[in-house]
Amino acid sequence: MIWGDKIMKILGIGGGLDRIHEYNYEFPIGMAHDSAAVLLVDGKIVAGIEEERLNRIKHTNKSPVKSMRFCLEQGQINIREINKFAVYGSEKFMNFTLQQNYLEHSGGKLAYEDVRTLVRAMIRNEFEYDVDPSQIVFVPHHVAHAASSFFMSGFEESLIMTIDGQGDGVSSMLFHGNNNSMEPLATVYQSDSLGFFYLNVIKFIGYSMFDEYKVMGLAPYGQPRKYKSLFKRFYSLLPEGSYKIHTEQIHLLFAMGSPRKKGEPFTQVHKDIAASLQASLEEIVFHCLSHYKEKTGLSRLCLAGGVAHNCTLNGKIAYSAMFEEVFIQPAAHDAGSVLGAALQVYHTECPEAQKNKLEHVYWGKDIGTDDSVVKVLQQWSSFIEFEKKDDIEDVASQLISEGMVLGWVQGRSEFGPRALGNRSIIADPRPAENKEIINAMVKKREGYRPFAPSVLEEEAGEYFELPPGNIELLYMIHVLKVKEIHRQQLGAITHMDGTARVQTVSQRTNPRYWKLIRSFQEKTGIPLVLNTSFNNHAEPIIDSVQDAIVCYLTTGLHYLVIGNYLIRRKQTDLMEALNNGEIIPSIPPHVRIYKTDQSAGLGPFIPTFQIGHNYSKEFNRKISSGLYPYLLEMDGATSLNNIIQRIGTLSSENRESIMVELINLWSERMITITPAVKVIVKRIIIENIAPFNDIYYKSCLYNSLFPAVFHFNKSIAPFLINDVIVYDITESVEGPQCLIEYLPNKSLEEMLEDVGISYKGDRYADNLLKKVISAINQGRPVLFWVDCFDISIRADTFHKKHLPHTILVYGYDEETQILHIIEHKQSENLSYARRTIPMADIQKAYDGFHEHFHRHNPIMETYYEFYLKAGASAGQELTTQSESSLYLELLLRKLPNIQSGLEKLKLFLEWFSQQIIEKRTPSIPYTTQLLEKLNSLISAKQVELYKFSLLFHNHENLKSLLKQILGDWVAIRAVIAKYYYSNKYNPELFQGLQGSLKRIYISEIEYYQKLHNLSEWNGGNSK
């Protein structure tokens, strides 16, 4: 359909607003999950994919940027050619939700912006295109659901019903679809949500959101009549097809016993509850449909919404013959609303356009040509062997008939929650034990859950009781009865109640899968195979060739077929394969590594280590302290063997323990592992650059600089002895605050000169990335200033606050457009690590620094690249003896400053002690400032201890004094922090600080007196 003088191009989008590494927006349950994008050109589906397939997060609530990019690439369309961006969801409701999110969760960190502005910002940030606001069209949630079904049904007229948890505060709608329009008939609001009714009940039997389909499979094991009278109290059927959900009554389930915890066995009570719930859902839906069927006289039905994935309900609707034809949107969940939004906009803009009947859902990424498949397979040649087969369908069917379980990957991936023969695990449907075998080797799921059959469509009537009328069965969305004569023969796909969730396979829409099943029939006489989605329990359905290989290696599948290639493992022991192969581990961008110090009261802090997703604590896993440092080093560029060498040699026992943990994390998709392969594109990494986390010295500049200093095999001692650290006081309205001041002897430039390092500086690097790449090519590490507001890998500051910061770059990768950097994760933690960041982010962050900070000091250099001074050697020049002598000389020159600082310290300690005696409660603003200054003070004392250990090896008494001073300051901070975070003043805890307050000044005086008496102070040798 021509729209003006153009073919109409619409990009449907939906889901969350956060980028993959962010967690800024906390939406109510039922919102912003299943992100996706679909491209319509002239009303035809060109491409469609769920974001989870690409970012590898199940039911992802992240922004759909990867799926948008795929759709544009698949359609060979520039984003500037898109006429309309169709977003599912009411703009008014979304803005209300964003306002609530801002008030409840942001704490003022995020500026409030409306949803249209945020969608424009997402497009601008990812595609560098400033879309006109009028091009963004919002389609109400249930209108989008309805459009996804009706406009794909091929019906001229039908009743339409949408049912889910909620969208825009609505849980269900009924429409009269006629030609290209849909007239609303009824609206059911969130308070009477069938989706939430189902969800609230399944929580009692140990399940949660996205587990509804599991309970549907459990229901046949129960008796619905057992709790029929109880469930009748949970809802009322009202006149004219309406109903009321009595959520407040669901607590009556507790009379049946204690709720089941996740992982516990199912009792008959749980099974009967599942059966009663399923029967209740069916009764309510049939009550509603019966009324509107009679009222409208319509003979066709379209269904959509998450509840329309209840295949048992769908089968019963089909068998009821209430409607002559029924069409259920295969992607009935929220991802399908993206399609519906695009269709609604298209038919609104082009009201005379013809509707296009759904033929298939193979709209995702293609595996590519044989050559492109081989290129990926060759990268994994240490792990697998592969062979091209001209008759791959015949080979695969033979393996299945011999009892093998295969991964089967062909063509373009499916849109929606079902694997329909292109991203499938396939097996013989006959042996009942295949259910247990597949569960054990891949799925790790509940044993009661059934597997589905894929049957040649022309043979379906021989094996299944087909419903009357015209019901499409291509999408595995109906539960049908297996004919009794075949139930025992088809043990692997027949559920305990004699049913199966059937997919018919058409030669027209999936010829290769059809040919495979036909070949299996020729060998066994059975025209169907067992089909389940190709993924393990921790991930969404695989999408790429790489995904398929990883899933194959981390499960027990016998063989893998990709395109024309038959693939098998070289070694059955995965640990042996990983030890023998050169691998590169990395941390996915949505995964975080945590180290926390836990303490009971004022007892010792015990470090604990965890790895988890940035959007849900449900996926957090404990890790060992031994594995933790290795995870920090995983930057996606360094091999595991190099990481092990870098950190230190492992005993065979420790290595095995680390490898077992890594394999488990890989299987849980908490880490990624890829083979180390040579790439044609340019990737340069400067070796021997390691993060520095021993101390936090003065500012981020030095913790960025020191790895470069060590790279040139130079000591950082000259930098440390260049400063004398003294106490100072600043006055506030409430009272004095103690702080630390660094008194330098020489400038940073002079210090670099002294140690033999030259640098090339610039106030503003006109072409930053070009300069960085040129410097790295010459082996020069690069340091520059940025604004943390634009650093996407910094969850604590990204798009939350402007903060000047430095980053050290030591490598780049042209193919992935990333820089390899030394950076820490958040301001409060000393956790510098090798990390990667998109080049585009760095340019924005560098420009952001100039916009927000450089104007205050325009002569300051903001870009440095480091290299050895001409004639200098990469080595240490100063001895520890000369360094300690220089430091003592500097202390002598700064003695008046030290003495003045100690007097100020005394004043502060005496004042604070008096506040405790008089039980004066410090205000929160004062405490906030004090904590900041105590953090800096403790960092400075850690620097002094580190410096002393470096310079004076044989003076344990002085070292003990420093440790005592540090410990006393840490104790003071602990009490103040406890008061700050609890907002409860505990006089006894504060009274317990009196000893520390008295000791600190006395210990500082003693320390400097003994330091003064060192023979080195007078030119001698203390060593």
Side-chain angles (χ1 to χ4, degrees), residues 70-139:
F70 160 73
C71 288
L72 295 171
E73 291 171 354
Q74 181 66 33
Q76 299 181 334
I77 288 174
N78 189 290
I79 196 164
R80 290 167 174 78
E81 299 177 56
I82 297 296
N83 305 113
K84 297 288 181 182
F85 295 86
V87 183
Y88 83 83
S90 155
E91 184 173 14
K92 181 179 179 181
F93 187 85
M94 287 183 174
N95 283 335
F96 171 76
T97 304
L98 285 167
Q99 290 160 6
Q100 291 297 110
N101 179 80
Y102 176 78
L103 294 174
E104 294 176 12
H105 301 296
S106 74
K109 294 178 182 177
L110 289 173
Y112 170 72
E113 292 178 300
D114 62 61
V115 68
R116 191 178 294 268
T117 300
L118 290 171
V119 172
R120 291 185 68 207
M122 176 184 70
I123 295 170
R124 182 171 56 250
N125 290 339
E126 294 299 326
F127 300 96
E128 298 182 351
Y129 173 54
D130 199 6
V131 62
D132 189 298
S134 65
Q135 289 180 267
I136 301 171
V137 182
F138 292 89
V139 178

Side-chain angles (χ1 to χ4, degrees), residues 438-645:
I438 295 172
N439 265 333
M441 65 170 48
V442 186
K443 293 292 187 172
K444 307 291 191 294
R445 66 186 194 178
E446 299 89 344
Y448 69 80
R449 287 167 54 191
F451 288 106
S454 294
V455 59
L456 300 179
E457 63 177 352
E458 56 270 32
E459 303 279 359
E462 174 65 28
Y463 289 84
F464 304 97
E465 294 183 19
L466 301 184
N470 185 9
I471 308 294
E472 284 198 335
L473 301 171
L474 292 169
Y475 305 111
M476 203 184 285
I477 205 164
H478 294 85
V479 166
L480 303 182
K481 298 171 186 173
V482 182
K483 287 188 173 180
E484 193 165 353
I485 193 174
H486 295 299
R487 289 178 185 177
Q488 188 171 358
Q489 182 187 30
L490 300 176
I493 59 91
T494 302
H495 202 22
M496 62 84 58
D497 60 349
T499 64
R501 185 162 41 93
V502 176
Q503 175 207 358
T504 59
V505 179
S506 166
Q507 186 177 14
R508 181 175 55 86
T509 58
N510 199 333
R512 175 159 272 189
Y513 194 38
W514 185 94
K515 187 177 178 182
L516 165 75
I517 300 172
R518 175 65 82 193
S519 178
F520 183 76
Q521 182 186 23
E522 291 168 356
K523 294 176 176 64
T524 64
I526 304 295
L528 59 130
V529 296
L530 180 154
N531 173 17
T532 187
S533 58
F534 193 173
N535 60 287
N536 76 1
H537 66 285
E539 65 181 341
I541 301 173
I542 64 103
D543 195 74
S544 67
V545 174
Q546 179 103 335
D547 296 337
I549 296 169
V550 169
C551 191
Y552 172 63
L553 290 174
T554 53
T555 60
L557 292 175
H558 298 119
Y559 290 90
L560 173 61
V561 174
I562 303 178
N564 292 310
Y565 291 89
L566 179 67
I567 300 145
R568 62 174 66 86
R569 296 173 185 80
K570 278 189 173 178
Q571 296 159 308
T572 55
D573 189 305
L574 185 56
M575 185 181 296
E576 185 179 350
L578 290 174
N579 276 320
N580 292 341
E582 189 74 358
I583 59 168
I584 295 178
S586 61
I587 308 296
H590 61 280
V591 171
R592 296 288 178 264
I593 305 162
Y594 305 94
K595 176 187 177 184
T596 56
D597 291 326
Q598 297 183 347
S599 172
L602 293 177
F605 288 98
I606 302 171
T608 61
F609 306 90
Q610 286 188 325
I611 187 169
H613 293 180
N614 67 353
Y615 57 89
S616 174
K617 291 182 179 179
E618 177 187 351
F619 301 99
N620 281 12
R621 303 285 184 272
K622 286 187 177 180
I623 54 175
S624 69
S625 59
L627 179 63
Y628 177 73
Y630 295 91
L631 292 177
L632 290 179
E633 294 293 312
M634 293 179 182
D635 58 5
T638 309
S639 72
L640 180 60
N641 286 334
N642 283 346
I643 290 173
I644 291 172
Q645 291 173 9

Side-chain angles (χ1 to χ4, degrees), residues 27-33 165-167 190 196 199-200 203 208-209:
F27 292 124
I29 188 170
M31 276 194 68
H33 53 81
Q166 76 88 19
Q190 181 176 329
F196 287 168
L199 176 60
N200 287 330
K203 288 177 181 176
S208 56
M209 190 174 178

Side-chain angles (χ1 to χ4, degrees), residues 190-379:
Q190 181 176 329
S191 57
D192 294 310
S193 167
L194 284 182
F196 287 168
F197 168 51
Y198 209 93
L199 176 60
N200 287 330
V201 173
I202 70 174
K203 288 177 181 176
F204 189 85
I205 53 178
Y207 283 120
S208 56
M209 190 174 178
F210 305 125
D211 291 332
E212 293 87 347
Y213 67 101
K214 300 177 183 179
V215 180
M216 182 187 74
L218 180 65
Y221 291 87
Q223 294 296 324
R225 278 179 277 181
K226 183 72 178 290
Y227 298 126
K228 184 177 181 179
S229 59
L230 173 64
F231 270 75
K232 284 288 187 182
R233 300 178 68 175
F234 299 164
Y235 62 93
S236 300
L237 301 180
L238 304 176
E240 298 185 335
S242 61
Y243 53 89
K244 178 71 178 173
I245 302 297
H246 306 300
T247 305
E248 74 281 359
Q249 296 293 317
I250 293 177
H251 72 91
L252 295 174
L253 287 170
F254 281 85
M256 303 302 103
S258 298
R260 172 184 172 267
K261 293 179 181 178
K262 190 173 182 179
E264 289 182 347
F266 292 94
T267 67
Q268 191 57 45
V269 170
H270 302 136
K271 298 170 186 177
D272 292 339
I273 287 174
S276 301
L277 175 62
Q278 180 66 29
S280 300
L281 173 71
E282 292 165 8
E283 182 182 23
I284 296 170
V285 172
F286 271 90
H287 168 73
C288 189
L289 289 177
S290 298
H291 170 77
Y292 284 97
K293 167 72 164 60
E294 183 178 349
K295 179 179 179 178
T296 63
L298 296 169
S299 61
R300 295 176 178 85
L301 173 67
C302 293
L303 284 177
V307 176
H309 277 311
N310 191 299
C311 305
T312 302
L313 169 65
N314 297 340
K316 291 185 178 179
I317 291 173
Y319 280 130
S320 74
M322 184 183 294
F323 298 91
E324 293 176 11
E325 294 185 87
V326 178
F327 176 80
I328 302 171
Q329 169 54 243
H333 59 316
D334 280 2
S337 294
V338 169
L339 168 63
L343 288 167
Q344 176 67 15
V345 170
Y346 176 71
H347 287 287
T348 300
E349 296 288 340
C350 308
E352 302 303 318
Q354 182 179 351
K355 296 196 293 288
N356 296 296
K357 189 177 188 302
L358 182 68
E359 294 184 349
H360 63 79
V361 291
Y362 305 112
W363 310 331
K365 278 196 170 183
D366 198 305
I367 60 171
T369 64
D370 283 351
D371 288 344
S372 63
V373 170
V374 166
K375 186 179 292 186
V376 180
L377 295 177
Q378 287 174 338
Q379 294 173 5

Side-chain angles (χ1 to χ4, degrees), residues 840-897:
D841 280 10
I842 283 293
Q843 185 67 61
K844 286 180 188 176
Y846 183 67
D847 291 338
F849 175 81
H850 282 268
E851 178 184 353
H852 293 282
F853 302 107
H854 194 226
R855 52 192 171 88
H856 302 303
N857 185 11
I859 63 170
M860 164 188 172
E861 290 178 328
T862 63
Y863 172 91
Y864 312 83
E865 52 188 68
F866 302 103
Y867 53 97
L868 274 177
K869 182 179 175 183
S873 61
Q876 313 288 353
E877 277 103 21
L878 288 174
T879 64
T880 303
Q881 178 181 338
S882 59
E883 289 165 347
S884 55
S885 298
L886 287 172
Y887 180 56
L888 289 170
E889 289 173 12
L890 181 59
L891 283 176
L892 192 58
R893 292 204 302 271
K894 299 291 184 181
L895 190 57
N897 304 88

Side-chain angles (χ1 to χ4, degrees), residues 426-437:
I426 53 177
D428 192 329
R430 296 171 294 175
E433 58 269 22
N434 271 358
K435 287 190 285 189
E436 286 71 33
I437 290 170

